């Protein structure tokens, strides 16, 4: 399985992503509250990983409460579900995984080994994500040419998923196939997922990269320094409108202006076909303090107000295609996304 999320019978160990790349520290998650805090507090992040950790959280939460109470009511399950669901509302994978866990609970609720059954489902969700990432990467690597410079925003690599990665997984696969690439990593204010996490992964994988401040994208594209953009996604509506880390929309606008292909790489678990467009995707708003602080250090006066939407919506017309485990989806998106789920 993956090296940043380790399964033990009585706990899950997750790599604390807040401390990377300086320290590799694992945090044990045992109680439901441990899981909730890990997701909300950004110890783990990235839509697919959020889904996986919430699935484990559901299983451990049921086990914890069963040990306390002996039996569970419908309300207990609702409470476990909603505590986890409230952590990061934009990530569709979170709801996708929790719905699978709830179904599993309904199926096995009268069995003596319910906690074990739920753990097995969570492990299955985890393993499937890795397999799907690899299939997606194989499809995506076909679009990568030897010598390409690819821009990626935030972190859509192994650390954001069950393992391997989506957007960065494609670049990793291209390297395995012998293609030389360079990755332009946007630093991704205010959490610096690009400068800290994508750089950490790419360095380990021996992939050439350069970190740029977020505001360099227009200039680099104008200079012809970017051949393609590949980003991940947190939620894709049926018409292809895509929620991803705030700043993605601006990158897509620059790409359109400069005729740079702009791809979104994500597994089917990120598509929310219940939403006709991106207008109804909930956008997580985080504490403005996270903008005026880097780690524990304030970069300006504590009393200054700041605003922080964690995601933005890239409208479908700016997107060249979606790279998924089932292949590349191009316009017309509504029809083709529907087909993706029929096959
Ligand atoms: O706030 P984060 O770090 O959870 O945001 C993550 C992203 O926006 C990623 O690009 C997205 O989840 C795709 S990860 C495969």
């Amino acid at each position: 399985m993956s090296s940043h999320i380790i399964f033990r019978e009585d706990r899950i160990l997750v790599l604390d992503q807040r401390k990377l790349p300086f320290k590799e520290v694992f945090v044990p998650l045992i109680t439901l509250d441990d899981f909730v805090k890990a997701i909300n507090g950004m110890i783990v992040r990235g839509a697919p990983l959020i889904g996986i950790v919430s699935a484990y959280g559901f299983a451990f939460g049921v086990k914890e409460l069963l040990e306390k109470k002996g039996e569970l009511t419908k309300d207990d399950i609702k409470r476990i579900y909603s505590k986890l669901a409230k952590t990061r509302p934009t990530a569709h994978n979170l709801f996708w995984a929790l719905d699978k866990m709830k179904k599993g609970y309904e199926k096995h609720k009268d069995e003596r080994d319910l906690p074990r059954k739920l753990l097995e489902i969570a492990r299955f969700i985890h393993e499937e994500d890795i397999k799907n990432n690899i299939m997606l990467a194989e499809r995506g690597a076909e679009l990568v040419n030897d010598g390409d410079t690819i821009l990626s925003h935030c972190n859509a690599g192994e650390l954001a998923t069950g393992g391997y990665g989506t957007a960065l997984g494609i670049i990793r696969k291209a390297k395995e196939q012998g293609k030389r690439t360079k990755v332009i990593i946007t630093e991704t204010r205010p959490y610096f997922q690009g400068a800290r996490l994508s750089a950490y992964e790419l360095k380990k994988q021996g992939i050439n990269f350069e970190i740029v401040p977020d505001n360099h994208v227009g200039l680099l594209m104008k200079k012809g320094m970017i051949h393609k953009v590949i980003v991940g996604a947190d939620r894709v509506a049926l018409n292809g409108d895509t929620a991803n880390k705030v700043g993605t929309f601006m990158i897509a606008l620059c790409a359109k202006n400069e005729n740079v292909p702009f791809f979104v790489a994500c597994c089917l678990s990120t598509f929310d076909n219940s939403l006709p467009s991106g207008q109804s995707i909930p956008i997580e708003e985080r504490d403005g303090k996270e903008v005026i602080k880097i780690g524990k250090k304030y970069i300006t006066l504590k009393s200054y107000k700041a605003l922080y939407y964690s995601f933005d919506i890239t409208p479908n017309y700016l997107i060249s295609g979606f790279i998924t485990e089932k292949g590349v989806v191009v316009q017309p998106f509504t029809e083709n996304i529907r087909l993706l789920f029929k096959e």
Side-chain angles (χ1 to χ4, degrees), residues 74-187:
K74 256 191 182 163
D75 280 348
D76 290 327
I77 295 301
K78 263 194 198 154
R79 227 170 293 129
I80 293 173
Y81 184 106
S82 87
K83 266 191 140 181
L84 289 160
K86 277 185 196 146
T87 51
R88 303 286 312 272
T90 306
H92 181 61
N93 304 62
L94 171 65
F95 301 91
W96 174 88
L98 285 174
D99 287 343
K100 283 202 178 307
M101 295 307 292
K102 204 167 82 185
K103 265 196 197 141
Y105 171 80
E106 287 304 329
K107 188 169 170 203
H108 300 292
K109 64 179 176 209
D110 298 323
E111 295 170 27
R112 254 188 345 138
D113 58 349
L114 170 68
R116 173 151 304 279
K117 286 272 160 56
L118 291 179
L119 266 184
E120 277 167 16
I121 299 171
R123 291 197 83 180
F124 181 76
I125 289 174
H126 186 180
E127 277 161 22
E128 281 294 293
D129 187 66
I130 302 173
K131 279 189 206 154
N132 288 335
N133 274 214
I134 294 170
M135 285 202 287
L136 175 160
E138 276 160 2
R139 303 298 189 113
E142 290 167 22
L143 301 170
V144 176
N145 298 320
D146 189 31
D148 268 355
T149 297
I150 300 168
L151 183 141
S152 198
H153 186 52
C154 192
N155 170 262
E158 172 159 18
L159 287 167
T161 64
Y164 206 80
T166 54
L168 295 187
I170 290 170
I171 295 161
R172 182 173 177 181
K173 182 57 73 186
K175 162 136 207 268
E176 286 168 23
Q177 295 173 348
K179 292 175 189 163
R180 286 155 303 175
T181 58
K182 176 172 167 184
V183 186
I184 294 292
I185 302 172
T186 42
E187 58 180 353

Side-chain angles (χ1 to χ4, degrees), residues 17 42 44-50 88 91 133 153-157 160-161 165-167 191 193 197 231-234 243-246 248 265-266 284 286 308 310-311:
Q17 299 197 20
M42 304 287 286
V44 293
R45 31 64 53 200
L49 184 61
I50 290 170
R88 303 286 312 272
N133 274 214
H153 186 52
C154 192
N155 170 262
T161 64
T166 54
Y191 265 99
Q193 288 96 329
L197 309 176
V231 294
D234 282 75
N244 192 47
K245 178 54 55 196
V246 69
T248 304
C266 64
E284 175 185 1
R286 294 186 67 89
Y308 178 17
S310 194
F311 300 96

